[in-house]
Amino acid sequence: MTSVTTKPARATEPVRRPAGRRTGVGQPSGWWAAAFVAPAVIGLAALYLWPFLSTMIKSFQDVPAFGPATFVGLDNYANLVGDEDFWKAFGNSALYTAIILLGIPLAIVLAALIEQVGRGRAVYRVLFFLPVVTLPVAIGMVWRFIYNGDFGLLNSVLSWFGVPGQFWVADPRFTIYAFGVAGIWMGLGINLIILGAGLQAIPKELYEASALDGAGRVRQFRHITVPLLSPSIFFVTILNVIAALQMFDLIFVMLRGVNNTALADSKTIVYLFYEKAFVQFDQGYGAAIAIVLLMVIMIATALQFRLQRSWVFYG
């Protein structure tokens, strides 16, 4: 009788994969990844990259309303340097941005006060956030009614105290400041939400320990709240500067009117870009204004990131 011996299976014997299944770089799994990423990449290229490249090319051209464009080199940028309207618009944009930044301390104080509210905290946040979800055109129409020099609400309130009213959006002495107040009100809600989230991240134990050491509310606010809230303040500052330099629709609605005498002296950079590119149909010059605005925003953002090292505390 012959014995049949079986060969024991070795644990180190490699496992055979079923035919047709392959893995690795460049295999079918990579195609699926590319398919999922493609919509976002195509959207970014179509909505951001191509408009930027097209604007950059047009800034070196003379683009008439009809007919082919011609290459003019740096002529559009050279004309900007000597354009009085451009520098006036640049100064108005800088002043408007500075006014908008004044709303950040106001938002910090309001966020700290709302954080102290025991009940109804969400109601306050919703009320302050309503202007954020409102169309800027609607906001501009409301504030234009408030600033109306003949029957506006602001002049009516000032008359109660014997203060003479003004034509707030028709007098170049007041227009930028009037726009700034409306802009602060419009952006206050998003600032409160971001700063409120930063306040909630501050440990309560720090306030309790400082209270035991005799620190009052004001000292706690200065030495605990503001330093630990500095990352949120820095983020809000970045957003406000970019939004202020790009402001157009609010100013467009409040400035446009029959024979508005303040229009010539109250234009911002974006408004000047709109006027040159879409009213006067000088698209090459308008493209140069857009590229300069992009450079200004990039420089302002880079400068803020540079300066934040000395005052932002990442604890």
Side-chain angles (χ1 to χ4, degrees):
M1 182 176 180
T2 60
S3 60
V4 180
T5 60
T6 58
K7 186 178 179 179
R10 295 189 309 179
T12 59
E13 185 176 353
V15 179
R16 295 181 180 180
R17 297 186 178 91
R21 293 187 60 185
R22 295 179 299 173
T23 60
V25 180
Q27 300 306 324
S29 59
W31 289 104
W32 281 108
F36 281 114
V37 175
V41 174
I42 295 174
L44 290 174
L47 299 177
Y48 292 94
L49 182 59
W50 169 244
F52 167 74
L53 294 177
S54 177
T55 303
M56 177 67 74
I57 294 173
K58 286 183 178 180
S59 68
F60 299 104
Q61 296 176 335
D62 180 15
V63 186
F66 301 98
T70 57
F71 180 77
V72 295
L74 298 175
D75 288 354
N76 290 325
Y77 294 96
N79 294 334
L80 278 179
V81 176
D83 190 351
E84 182 180 353
D85 290 338
F86 170 76
W87 291 110
K88 186 179 295 183
F90 182 83
N92 290 335
S93 295
L95 178 58
Y96 177 80
T97 303
I99 297 173
I100 291 300
L101 291 178
L102 294 178
I104 296 180
L106 175 62
I108 296 174
V109 174
L110 289 176
L113 292 177
I114 293 175
E115 195 66 22
Q116 302 298 323
V117 176
R119 300 178 59 182
R121 185 183 306 170
V123 176
Y124 286 104
R125 289 174 178 168
V126 170
L127 292 177
F128 279 110
F129 195 76
L130 283 178
V132 179
V133 297
T134 306
L135 292 176
V137 174
I139 294 176
M141 295 177 64
V142 171
W143 278 94
R144 186 173 178 176
F145 170 75
I146 295 174
Y147 287 139
N148 190 281
D150 297 321
F151 51 84
L153 180 61
L154 179 58
N155 284 346
S156 298
V157 174
L158 292 177
S159 64
W160 299 345
F161 303 96
V163 179
Q166 302 290 339
F167 291 91
W168 302 102
V169 292
D171 190 334
R173 297 177 301 170
F174 307 113
T175 49
I176 299 300
Y177 300 98
F179 299 153
V181 173
I184 290 175
W185 180 82
M186 185 173 62
L188 188 60
I190 189 65
N191 293 341
L192 286 176
I193 295 299
I194 297 175
L195 294 173
L199 287 173
Q200 293 180 357
I202 299 177
K204 304 300 181 183
E205 294 80 4
L206 296 178
Y207 293 102
E208 296 174 357
S210 63
L212 294 177
D213 292 337
R217 292 292 181 88
V218 177
R219 292 186 60 187
Q220 290 178 344
F221 181 79
R222 289 179 54 190
H223 299 287
I224 298 178
T225 303
V226 173
L228 296 183
L229 195 62
S230 56
S232 300
I233 298 175
F234 170 66
F235 179 65
V236 167
T237 303
I238 294 289
L239 295 181
N240 278 264
V241 169
I242 295 176
L245 290 174
Q246 293 180 335
M247 177 56 66
F248 169 73
D249 36 18
L250 177 66
I251 297 176
F252 177 81
V253 173
M254 297 178 67
L255 270 183
R256 297 293 289 183
V258 180
N259 298 325
N260 191 334
T261 57
L263 180 60
D265 297 323
S266 304
K267 300 173 185 176
T268 59
I269 293 182
V270 182
Y271 193 99
L272 184 64
F273 158 75
Y274 157 78
E275 188 176 67
K276 295 295 184 181
F278 299 104
V279 178
Q280 302 177 9
F281 297 104
D282 191 353
Q283 296 186 12
Y285 195 74
I289 295 176
I291 295 300
V292 170
L293 175 61
L294 175 63
M295 296 296 105
V296 170
I297 293 176
M298 292 178 62
I299 293 174
T301 304
L303 183 61
Q304 291 178 82
F305 271 95
R306 180 73 176 180
L307 295 178
Q308 60 95 18
R309 303 176 183 176
S310 61
W311 66 275
V312 178
F313 175 75
Y314 294 99

